Amino acid sequence: MALMTRRGAGSAGGGPRSRSQRVHARALASRVCASGARTAMASARVRAAGALARSAFSRYGHFSANGRRSLSASAALLARTHVNYEVKDNVAVIRINDPTSKVNTLTRQLQDDMMEVLNEVWGNSAVKSAVIISTKPGCFIAGANIDMIKVCKSAEEVSKLSKEGQMMFEKIEKSPIPFVAAVNGTCMGGGLEFAIACHYRVATKSKKTVMALPEVMLGLLPGAGGTQRMPKMLGLPTAFDVMLTGRSIRADKAKKMGLVHHVIDPLGPGVKDPEERLIEYLEEVAVGVAKGLAKKTVTVEKKKGLMQKVQDAVLGIPLVRNQVYKTVTQKVMKQTKGLYPAPLSIIEAVQAGVEKGPAEGYHVEAVNFGKLAMTPESRALIGLYQGQVACKKNNFGKPEREVKSLAVLGAGLMGAGIAQVTVDKGVATILKDTTTEGLARGHDQVYKGLNDKAKKKSITTFERDMTLSFLKGQLDYSGFEKVDMVIEAVFEDLSIKHKVLKEVEAVIPPHCIFASNTSALPIREIAAASKRPEKVIGMHYFSPVDKMQLLEIITTDKTSKDTTASAVAVGLKQGKVIIVVGDGPGFYTTRCLAPTLVEGIRILQEGVGPKKLDSLTTGFGFPVGVSTLIDEVGVDVAAHVAEDLGKAFGSRFGGGNVDVLKTMIQKGFKGRKSGKGCYVYSAKKKDKQVNSGTEEILKAFKLTAPPAVSGDEDVQYRLVSRFVNEAALCLQEGILADPVQGDIGAVFGLGFPPCLGGPFRFLDSFGADKLVQKMKRYEDAYGNQFTPCQLLLDYAKDPSKKFHK
Amino acid sequence: FNRPAVLSKSKKTLSKPGVRNVVLVEGVRTPFLQAGTTYADLMAHDLARGALQGLLNRTAFPKEAVDYIVYGTVIQEVKTSNVAREAALGAGFSDKTPAHTVTMACISSNQAMTTAVGLVASGQCDAVVAGGVEFMSDVPIRHSRKMRKMMLSLNRARTLGARLSLLGSLRLSHLVPELPAVSEFSTAEMMGHSADRLAAAFGISRLDQDEFALRSHVLAKKAQDEGLLTDIVDFKVPGKDIVSKDNGIRPSTMEQMSKLKPAFIKPHGTVTAANSSYLTDGASAVLIMSEEKALAMGYKPKAYLSPTYAIPKVLERSGLTLADIDAFEFHEAFAGQVLANLTAMESDWFAQNCMGRKAKVGAPPMEKFNLWGGSLSLGHPFAATGCRLVTMVAHRLKKEGGQYGLVAACAAGGQGHAMLVEACPQ
């Protein structure tokens, strides 16, 4: 009966483990295949890219096509399904729950119900204050409904939606009685705008309680008063930070920022479901606050600290504010290269409100919201968000047995990374290496990964230790007779892969799955050494494994469906976004990357310097430039892949001379890991210098550029067209099952410009015909590596054909 | 070997064939005082010594006949890390009698008794003294880790230059002291905070908690006035008076109690200073023996002991139900915690979802529950409470004429302890 005393024993709303299970919205696209996670990733561009793990806009949202309903009382009562209320001690408790969905979104129905309830509440003189609460577990309001915006045909239509939202929230803000928002669970986008229109906010510290304005990640802006209220509430700098990054804010942080007034702790199990009781408890506390507000024993205003006062005073000077707008704009331009219109629109709406008053502010907000919704960037980002959601599902059914213990072979960068994301989810993991040194290094990597989280306070040191206890490092195969899955991450050499496969198969149980983490070796060739090829599958992780969201799963024609289901289940547990592709040299991602890199080398040979090449690629929207990418991937790895795939695919993978890379390797320029590649890296200097040694090599391999196809724009399109053509070929050949996975793989694995939404979305918006025209020009100048594939030609011929609906 | 079959009631007994009966011969404690009062200048082992000496005085037990001593403590005084040994030697026990210290938060002395029962039941010992002490008037406050590291390096520095350079690294932040952990290491949560969340999870209101706390104080006062708290032995504080009474029993009024602000979760919490147990100094000790040896030495044992963990387990093992229990003594860390526990025992949902049982355990009837006050009123010197509970239940069985008593306590770290106590034939 030791009920008291322990949070772990009575773990509420997610004990220590569930914290780590939460998938953070991560700036994925920033980190390209095998790139080190070194660059700071606060950029709006990058945020916009990826990571819409939870969004203001939910795909679950159910769009009610009924339009406005009759307002006759009885009909209204009957029809009111999303919002209801009761009056408790002069407090109107308004409860939200969308019965048609797992989450609450601001649908037409919900808004209509809400307005009706609000009018009744305001008409009731016995009501002195009100509480807004959601009875849906884990969700206050996830945001506006994305479909509501998608069906709109014009900017004006979307603006109208925005204005309706603005109006409803303004009514609440100006309400004669005080409103308390009681927040438990997701409170994003329109949900947060709703909450900040209320006079007081109470939030639970549940792990599920997350506040954010992530519209910018979808190429939009907070269109229901967010750009107007946020600066008043948080001050200009913080408001810009919140709106331009779309970052998630937990309850305790929100309290510190002044976004919520009061927080309450989650509860452990009692005499009913903890979440259910937590919502009741939240309501009890909120009702108490509401009563206090009505009686004026509780005040809304919080005391401002000295720093806040100073900041307010300084920002009271118009000149200073102008400087703030200027600085923020410059920062955004630097990070987005002007490719993303949303952040600039946000700044504009904020500025209009602060400088010209609320009428103008709200107007600009609504107009800009409408404009943004019509931009291809927004469509691309929404497509990525929805694609990402789709790639977080297991379409292969429930595996026959859950993988409860797993072994990783090879404690290198990849192996340790895979081990880290596995133990992180409480799966017992054996990390096997051949040397104690290797093992120690791998163990340290896992520890460091977890410890970094502890330092950032996203987990406690206790949770770190507990998680680490799932990891077992060893040099032999003991215990392998009990594992459910083995993932090998040994050196990329077919004979070594065969050797470990045979060793492993001698010890593992019959049901155990053998997965190979390879970036280019065909799985069927690895499986050739297996006694049970139906249990062999490819799981291609991206480096750094704990940061990169993508997992590319490769199935051969012999891989069983259950094996695939199991691999996907493991990947999902590890928090990955998953594409499942067919087998072949380079699969999908590496196959798209290789010709792009080869073209990059060609461009370098033509005398475009590494820095120029980088700025041209990032200028197109790639988060990492091609020269930097070669260094991050490793010159040796790049050479290896280029040569292997060159052999497999012939002249289509030609262009640049692989000997450039080989010479670089000879001189020890292996990329960042060796300190020199295209650039020289030093621990201290932030600004990297071009490696003169590499420049000399490039001179030796110099090629003359045909002037007709070597302008800046042509250089960009040469790179992109080779990428896109190869992606289209993968779809044509059936390596890819659909364009959605192709887009997700390219953006989340390789850093294809998120504003373009992936190669297929790019083809839809840019036009396959236009790209084919360009490619034909390049083909004339360079040869058949630019020959557009049949699928591209088909789409070019018929402009009504689109990859995405 | 086995205990006589004839008992006052027709219930079966806890004795098992082939296992020695383990009995509580006597239990004593020092008065429990609020921290910072009369005991303020003592040390933990002083109080422990007082309890041990009191036990010897009360029983006139020959010191050399004690086979083993187990003692509990929670906040360790580093000078007396094995406080059991220091107190035993100080109390004049034989230096041939081994003594060890156990720590298990608020159930430390429960664990000491459990160890003693095990030693006796297995035949290794015939007479074991168990007990616990807590001294909250003084707690070890350390230098910060940075400071400690510097001081240790200073020890090793050989040259003046090395020493000076180390001293030069001294920063103001080095001087911030480190208090003993108030919060649990693994969860970083304070006990009072946890109790408040627990009360909220079970929907225990502030009013319920205040009423329960008041009940505890009223009953304790009554027991004190009627002279029922006979487990107390006087304690002479050097230079001060002889202490013979607990000083934390303060029946208040509901009105006064309702005025207090929440102590941990502000402003909406329900746990206050008045419905929580307070920081207490005190020590307790019990003499645990095999029944045959006790009888052979001419003692009248008070109760049979049968400890295991947690109430349903202890009942099921002994084939009893809650209805068979005549006296309940539960540890009262917080009113909210006791009430939450009782609510949980009454809840089918909790039994099914959190205990893997088919149905609820059932809660003890209040007319049998903590009738002489509890930790809320008598005080709660962490590691001394377990022996106080067991001795009190034995005394209650004797006074009330019951057969079975049940002791239960919870502890930080999510642990619990329960013990069945059966009255010895009079």
Side-chain angles (χ1 to χ4, degrees), chain A residues 537-777:
Chain A
I537 195 164
M539 290 174 86
H540 177 200
Y541 290 86
F542 294 76
S543 181
V545 181
D546 60 325
K547 301 284 191 309
M548 294 290 286
Q549 269 181 293
L550 191 72
L551 169 62
E552 183 180 32
I553 290 180
I554 305 102
T555 60
T556 70
D557 45 10
K558 292 199 178 130
T559 308
S560 75
K561 192 181 160 216
D562 185 61
T563 299
T564 312
S566 214
V568 173
V570 167
L572 289 177
K573 201 181 254 181
Q574 292 167 335
K576 298 294 169 196
V577 172
I578 296 167
I579 61 170
V580 180
V581 304
D583 192 25
F587 326 125
Y588 168 61
T589 51
T590 310
R591 209 174 133 178
C592 291
L593 184 66
T596 316
L597 289 184
V598 171
E599 191 61 26
I601 293 161
R602 170 86 193 196
I603 292 162
L604 289 172
Q605 283 178 266
E606 288 178 0
V608 175
K611 278 209 163 160
K612 178 80 190 284
L613 177 58
D614 269 357
S615 83
L616 285 176
T617 26
T618 54
F620 200 76
F622 284 91
V624 178
V626 170
S627 326
T628 307
L629 186 58
I630 292 171
D631 282 359
E632 295 288 355
V633 170
V635 177
D636 48 342
V637 176
H640 195 65
V641 168
E643 211 170 25
D644 273 9
L645 295 189
K647 273 182 209 151
F649 293 107
S651 57
R652 197 173 79 238
F653 275 53
N657 191 341
V658 180
D659 289 339
V660 172
L661 297 178
K662 286 187 174 168
T663 316
M664 283 173 76
I665 299 167
Q666 277 167 16
K667 300 231 167 173
F669 306 152
K670 288 188 183 172
R672 181 188 276 276
K673 58 189 167 193
S674 68
K676 277 182 183 176
C678 295
Y679 296 98
V680 181
Y681 298 88
S682 69
K684 283 178 191 167
K685 274 188 203 160
K686 243 187 160 183
D687 199 30
K688 54 193 177 187
Q689 298 296 317
V690 173
N691 181 3
S692 56
T694 298
E695 280 183 314
E696 271 168 41
I697 296 170
L698 287 171
K699 262 181 211 151
F701 285 92
K702 187 158 175 63
L703 294 170
T704 318
V709 288
S710 324
D712 284 357
E713 197 188 302
D714 279 327
V715 165
Q716 289 174 328
Y717 279 100
R718 272 161 58 195
L719 288 164
V720 171
S721 63
R722 291 196 67 178
F723 191 120
V724 172
N725 186 48
E726 203 57 38
L729 256 172
C730 286
L731 186 62
Q732 181 182 313
E733 291 172 6
I735 297 279
L736 276 178
D738 54 60
V740 172
Q741 297 192 58
D743 282 348
I744 293 295
V747 173
F748 287 80
L750 304 173
F752 191 87
C755 57
L756 302 177
F760 297 101
R761 174 92 43 195
F762 166 71
L763 280 170
D764 282 352
S765 59
F766 184 75
D769 49 343
K770 269 171 77 188
L771 192 72
V772 165
Q773 276 169 23
K774 282 186 189 287
M775 288 182 75
K776 291 217 163 128
R777 274 206 300 129

Side-chain angles (χ1 to χ4, degrees), chain B residues 265-386:
Chain B
I265 297 186
K266 294 160 189 171
H268 66 268
T270 53
V271 172
T272 68
N275 61 34
S276 313
S277 57
Y278 45 89
L279 294 181
T280 315
D281 298 336
S284 59
V286 293
L287 176 60
I288 290 170
M289 296 182 75
S290 66
E291 184 182 30
E292 47 173 351
K293 180 82 175 190
L295 293 174
M297 289 178 76
Y299 287 102
K300 270 193 191 165
K302 296 191 166 180
Y304 299 106
L305 303 178
S306 161
T308 36
Y309 293 94
I311 296 162
K313 274 194 198 166
V314 86
L315 289 175
E316 268 159 29
R317 276 205 193 179
S318 25
L320 297 179
T321 66
L322 272 186
D324 296 320
I325 306 295
D326 302 301
F328 293 87
E329 278 299 330
F330 279 29
H331 168 44
E332 302 167 348
F334 299 88
Q337 157 264 324
V338 178
L339 293 171
N341 278 292
L342 299 182
T343 311
M345 292 173 80
E346 266 301 318
S347 161
D348 283 325
W349 188 92
F350 189 85
Q352 285 153 7
N353 290 280
C354 304
M355 301 180 74
R357 292 173 60 87
K358 285 203 184 76
K360 65 186 182 185
V361 185
M366 290 311 275
E367 62 272 17
K368 294 179 181 174
F369 189 84
N370 292 11
L371 292 185
W372 295 358
S375 298
L376 286 170
S377 46
L378 299 169
H380 173 39
F382 307 136
T385 292

Side-chain angles (χ1 to χ4, degrees), chain B residues 352-426:
Chain B
Q352 285 153 7
N353 290 280
C354 304
M355 301 180 74
R357 292 173 60 87
K358 285 203 184 76
K360 65 186 182 185
V361 185
M366 290 311 275
E367 62 272 17
K368 294 179 181 174
F369 189 84
N370 292 11
L371 292 185
W372 295 358
S375 298
L376 286 170
S377 46
L378 299 169
H380 173 39
F382 307 136
T385 292
C387 292
R388 195 269 298 160
L389 291 167
V390 169
T391 307
M392 189 171 267
V393 91
H395 287 179
R396 270 183 61 196
L397 289 174
K398 197 172 171 194
K399 178 89 181 165
E400 296 162 6
Q403 185 187 356
Y404 291 112
L406 181 62
V407 167
C410 57
Q415 309 194 85
H417 176 270
M419 185 187 272
L420 264 180
V421 177
E422 182 182 1
C424 290
Q426 305 289 319

